[in-house]
Amino acid sequence: WITGNRILVITVSGHGKQMEEVDIEQEEWRVILSATRYDISEPLLFRHFILYRSSYNQIENIYALDTCRQQIYQVTSSRFGAFHPAITRDSAWLLFSDYSERGYNLTRIPLQPADWLPVTPPEAPFGIWDEPGGSNNSRKEDETLERDDLWDVRKYRKSTHLFNLHSWLPFYTPVAESPDDLEDLPVE
Protein backbone atom coordinates (compact mmCIF):
# COMPACT_ATOMS: atom_id res chain seq x y z
CA TRP A 1 0.00 0.00 0.00
CA ILE A 2 1.18 3.49 -0.80
CA THR A 3 -1.73 5.22 0.94
CA GLY A 4 -5.19 4.17 2.06
CA ASN A 5 -6.56 4.05 -1.48
CA ARG A 6 -3.43 3.55 -3.60
CA ILE A 7 -1.40 0.36 -3.99
CA LEU A 8 1.80 -0.49 -5.81
CA VAL A 9 1.68 -3.53 -8.10
CA ILE A 10 4.00 -5.28 -10.51
CA THR A 11 2.27 -6.31 -13.72
CA VAL A 12 3.44 -8.74 -16.38
CA SER A 13 2.78 -8.49 -20.12
CA GLY A 14 4.41 -9.50 -23.39
CA HIS A 15 6.73 -6.51 -22.96
CA GLY A 16 8.01 -7.71 -19.58
CA LYS A 17 7.34 -6.52 -16.03
CA GLN A 18 6.44 -3.01 -14.98
CA MET A 19 5.62 -1.26 -11.74
CA GLU A 20 2.27 0.51 -11.53
CA GLU A 21 0.27 2.49 -9.00
CA VAL A 22 -3.43 1.71 -8.70
CA ASP A 23 -5.92 4.18 -7.27
CA ILE A 24 -8.68 1.90 -5.97
CA GLU A 25 -11.28 4.65 -5.52
CA GLN A 26 -10.76 6.32 -8.90
CA GLU A 27 -10.00 2.98 -10.64
CA GLU A 28 -6.97 4.52 -12.34
CA TRP A 29 -3.64 2.91 -13.18
CA ARG A 30 -0.39 4.86 -13.55
CA VAL A 31 2.94 3.40 -14.73
CA ILE A 32 5.73 4.06 -12.21
CA LEU A 33 8.52 2.01 -13.85
CA SER A 34 8.15 1.14 -17.55
CA ALA A 35 8.18 -2.43 -18.84
CA THR A 36 11.50 -4.22 -18.67
CA ARG A 37 12.73 -7.74 -19.38
CA TYR A 38 14.58 -7.71 -16.07
CA ASP A 39 12.96 -9.30 -13.07
CA ILE A 40 11.59 -6.69 -10.69
CA SER A 41 10.05 -7.77 -7.41
CA GLU A 42 9.65 -7.08 -3.70
CA PRO A 43 8.74 -3.36 -3.94
CA LEU A 44 8.96 -1.31 -0.77
CA LEU A 45 8.14 2.35 -0.15
CA PHE A 46 10.73 4.62 1.50
CA ARG A 47 10.04 8.37 1.47
CA HIS A 48 9.79 9.31 -2.23
CA PHE A 49 11.73 6.18 -3.27
CA ILE A 50 10.50 2.75 -4.20
CA LEU A 51 13.01 0.09 -3.24
CA TYR A 52 12.86 -3.16 -5.20
CA ARG A 53 14.93 -6.16 -6.19
CA SER A 54 16.28 -6.58 -9.72
CA SER A 55 19.27 -7.94 -11.63
CA TYR A 56 20.41 -5.06 -13.82
CA ASN A 57 24.06 -6.06 -13.37
CA GLN A 58 23.32 -9.82 -13.74
CA ILE A 59 23.26 -10.22 -9.93
CA GLU A 60 20.12 -9.71 -7.85
CA ASN A 61 20.50 -6.51 -5.83
CA ILE A 62 18.30 -3.88 -4.20
CA TYR A 63 17.59 -0.77 -6.27
CA ALA A 64 15.69 2.45 -5.57
CA LEU A 65 13.53 4.44 -7.95
CA ASP A 66 13.35 8.14 -7.11
CA THR A 67 9.71 8.88 -7.98
CA CYS A 68 10.38 12.64 -8.19
CA ARG A 69 13.35 12.50 -10.58
CA GLN A 70 12.60 9.15 -12.26
CA GLN A 71 16.20 8.10 -11.53
CA ILE A 72 17.22 4.55 -10.56
CA TYR A 73 19.91 3.96 -7.92
CA GLN A 74 21.75 0.83 -6.87
CA VAL A 75 21.40 0.49 -3.10
CA THR A 76 23.25 -2.79 -2.42
CA SER A 77 26.31 -4.35 -4.07
CA SER A 78 26.04 -7.96 -3.02
CA ARG A 79 28.51 -10.37 -4.58
CA PHE A 80 25.99 -13.21 -4.98
CA GLY A 81 22.63 -11.51 -4.47
CA ALA A 82 20.51 -9.41 -2.11
CA PHE A 83 16.92 -10.42 -1.41
CA HIS A 84 13.89 -9.61 0.76
CA PRO A 85 14.43 -5.94 1.62
CA ALA A 86 12.83 -4.51 4.77
CA ILE A 87 13.07 -1.14 6.49
CA THR A 88 13.43 -0.71 10.24
CA ARG A 89 10.64 1.14 12.09
CA ASP A 90 12.78 4.25 12.48
CA SER A 91 13.60 4.19 8.69
CA ALA A 92 17.30 4.36 9.50
CA TRP A 93 18.36 0.90 8.25
CA LEU A 94 17.73 -1.37 5.30
CA LEU A 95 17.63 -5.04 6.26
CA PHE A 96 18.04 -7.72 3.57
CA SER A 97 19.18 -11.29 2.98
CA ASP A 98 22.68 -11.21 1.55
CA TYR A 99 23.49 -14.45 -0.25
CA SER A 100 27.05 -15.73 0.17
CA GLU A 101 29.00 -18.92 -0.46
CA ARG A 102 27.84 -20.06 3.01
CA GLY A 103 24.14 -19.28 2.52
CA TYR A 104 21.95 -16.33 3.46
CA ASN A 105 23.08 -13.74 5.99
CA LEU A 106 20.86 -11.10 7.55
CA THR A 107 22.52 -7.79 6.71
CA ARG A 108 21.76 -4.18 7.48
CA ILE A 109 23.01 -1.00 5.89
CA PRO A 110 22.13 2.62 6.67
CA LEU A 111 19.43 4.11 4.43
CA GLN A 112 21.50 6.99 3.04
CA PRO A 113 20.25 8.02 -0.43
CA ALA A 114 23.37 10.18 -0.88
CA ASP A 115 25.47 6.98 -0.90
CA TRP A 116 23.45 5.22 -3.60
CA LEU A 117 24.91 4.86 -7.10
CA PRO A 118 22.85 6.17 -10.03
CA VAL A 119 22.41 3.51 -12.72
CA THR A 120 20.97 3.33 -16.20
CA PRO A 121 19.63 -0.19 -16.75
CA PRO A 122 20.60 -1.82 -20.06
CA GLU A 123 17.81 -2.32 -22.60
CA ALA A 124 17.59 -6.09 -22.05
CA PRO A 125 19.37 -8.80 -20.09
CA PHE A 126 22.41 -10.17 -21.90
CA GLY A 127 22.36 -13.73 -23.11
CA ILE A 128 18.71 -14.74 -22.86
CA TRP A 129 16.55 -12.37 -24.89
CA ASP A 130 16.41 -12.07 -28.64
CA GLU A 131 17.89 -9.00 -30.22
CA PRO A 132 15.66 -6.93 -32.54
CA GLY A 133 17.11 -8.77 -35.56
CA GLY A 134 15.89 -12.09 -34.17
CA SER A 135 19.25 -13.62 -33.27
CA ASN A 136 19.99 -14.56 -29.70
CA ASN A 137 22.91 -12.54 -28.33
CA SER A 138 24.30 -15.48 -26.36
CA ARG A 139 25.08 -17.59 -29.46
CA LYS A 140 27.05 -16.97 -32.59
CA GLU A 141 25.11 -16.98 -35.85
CA ASP A 142 26.76 -20.17 -37.15
CA GLU A 143 26.06 -22.23 -34.02
CA THR A 144 23.19 -24.67 -34.11
CA LEU A 145 21.32 -26.43 -31.33
CA GLU A 146 20.60 -29.56 -33.35
CA ARG A 147 23.45 -31.94 -34.11
CA ASP A 148 22.63 -35.48 -35.16
CA ASP A 149 26.17 -36.73 -34.55
CA LEU A 150 25.99 -36.15 -30.77
CA TRP A 151 23.14 -38.54 -29.91
CA ASP A 152 21.80 -41.76 -31.30
CA VAL A 153 18.21 -40.89 -32.20
CA ARG A 154 15.74 -43.78 -32.21
CA LYS A 155 11.98 -44.03 -32.20
CA TYR A 156 10.51 -44.53 -28.71
CA ARG A 157 8.75 -47.87 -28.20
CA LYS A 158 6.56 -48.41 -25.15
CA SER A 159 7.01 -52.20 -25.18
CA THR A 160 10.77 -52.00 -24.64
CA HIS A 161 10.20 -49.79 -21.58
CA LEU A 162 7.39 -51.83 -20.06
CA PHE A 163 9.57 -53.23 -17.28
CA ASN A 164 12.03 -50.76 -15.83
CA LEU A 165 13.63 -52.21 -12.70
CA HIS A 166 15.18 -48.95 -11.62
CA SER A 167 13.76 -48.01 -8.18
CA TRP A 168 11.31 -50.92 -8.35
CA LEU A 169 10.40 -52.60 -5.07
CA PRO A 170 8.71 -56.01 -5.36
CA PHE A 171 7.42 -56.05 -1.77
CA TYR A 172 5.94 -52.74 -0.68
CA THR A 173 5.60 -52.02 3.02
CA PRO A 174 3.70 -48.83 3.89
CA VAL A 175 5.66 -46.61 6.25
CA ALA A 176 2.64 -46.14 8.54
CA GLU A 177 2.56 -49.89 9.25
CA SER A 178 6.27 -50.27 10.00
CA PRO A 179 7.38 -50.42 13.64
CA ASP A 180 8.49 -47.15 15.15
CA ASP A 181 11.58 -47.66 17.25
CA LEU A 182 11.93 -43.94 17.96
CA GLU A 183 9.35 -44.08 20.73
CA ASP A 184 11.70 -46.20 22.86
CA LEU A 185 14.60 -43.72 22.78
CA PRO A 186 15.44 -42.13 26.14
CA VAL A 187 14.76 -38.42 26.48
CA GLU A 188 17.73 -36.45 27.79
Side-chain angles (χ1 to χ4, degrees), residues 6-20:
R6 296 182 308 149
I7 59 173
L8 186 68
V9 297
I10 294 176
T11 58
V12 181
S13 71
H15 300 289
K17 287 184 167 185
Q18 69 183 18
M19 206 176 299
E20 298 183 53

Side-chain angles (χ1 to χ4, degrees), residues 50-66:
I50 298 172
L51 303 174
Y52 62 98
R53 180 174 52 86
S54 190
S55 58
Y56 295 133
N57 64 355
Q58 299 180 354
I59 298 171
E60 299 283 335
N61 268 295
I62 311 299
Y63 292 85
L65 172 66
D66 184 334

Side-chain angles (χ1 to χ4, degrees), residues 44-87:
L44 195 62
L45 195 63
F46 169 68
R47 297 183 189 154
H48 61 279
F49 296 96
I50 298 172
L51 303 174
Y52 62 98
R53 180 174 52 86
S54 190
S55 58
Y56 295 133
N57 64 355
Q58 299 180 354
I59 298 171
E60 299 283 335
N61 268 295
I62 311 299
Y63 292 85
L65 172 66
D66 184 334
T67 57
C68 296
R69 297 182 183 149
Q70 293 301 306
Q71 172 67 48
I72 297 173
Y73 297 91
Q74 183 172 348
V75 178
T76 63
S77 294
S78 176
R79 183 174 177 196
F80 298 113
F83 305 89
H84 315 298
I87 299 172

Side-chain angles (χ1 to χ4, degrees), residues 6-138:
R6 296 182 308 149
I7 59 173
L8 186 68
V9 297
I10 294 176
T11 58
V12 181
S13 71
H15 300 289
K17 287 184 167 185
Q18 69 183 18
M19 206 176 299
E20 298 183 53
E21 177 186 310
V22 182
D23 186 325
I24 297 172
E25 291 176 0
Q26 303 294 322
E27 297 181 5
E28 294 176 350
W29 293 66
R30 184 173 68 95
V31 174
I32 303 287
L33 182 64
S34 299
T36 178
R37 294 285 184 193
Y38 288 95
D39 184 33
I40 54 174
S41 60
E42 302 174 355
L44 195 62
L45 195 63
F46 169 68
R47 297 183 189 154
H48 61 279
F49 296 96
I50 298 172
L51 303 174
Y52 62 98
R53 180 174 52 86
S54 190
S55 58
Y56 295 133
N57 64 355
Q58 299 180 354
I59 298 171
E60 299 283 335
N61 268 295
I62 311 299
Y63 292 85
L65 172 66
D66 184 334
T67 57
C68 296
R69 297 182 183 149
Q70 293 301 306
Q71 172 67 48
I72 297 173
Y73 297 91
Q74 183 172 348
V75 178
T76 63
S77 294
S78 176
R79 183 174 177 196
F80 298 113
F83 305 89
H84 315 298
I87 299 172
T88 57
R89 288 181 195 238
D90 61 0
S91 296
W93 299 92
L94 173 67
L95 306 172
F96 61 95
S97 294
D98 186 21
Y99 191 70
S100 71
E101 63 276 358
R102 299 182 64 101
Y104 288 99
N105 300 305
L106 180 61
T107 305
R108 75 176 188 170
I109 60 171
L111 273 172
Q112 305 276 337
D115 295 340
W116 301 346
L117 302 172
V119 295
T120 303
E123 291 273 327
F126 178 77
I128 57 173
W129 300 103
D130 285 342
E131 294 176 352
S135 66
N136 189 308
N137 56 7
S138 66

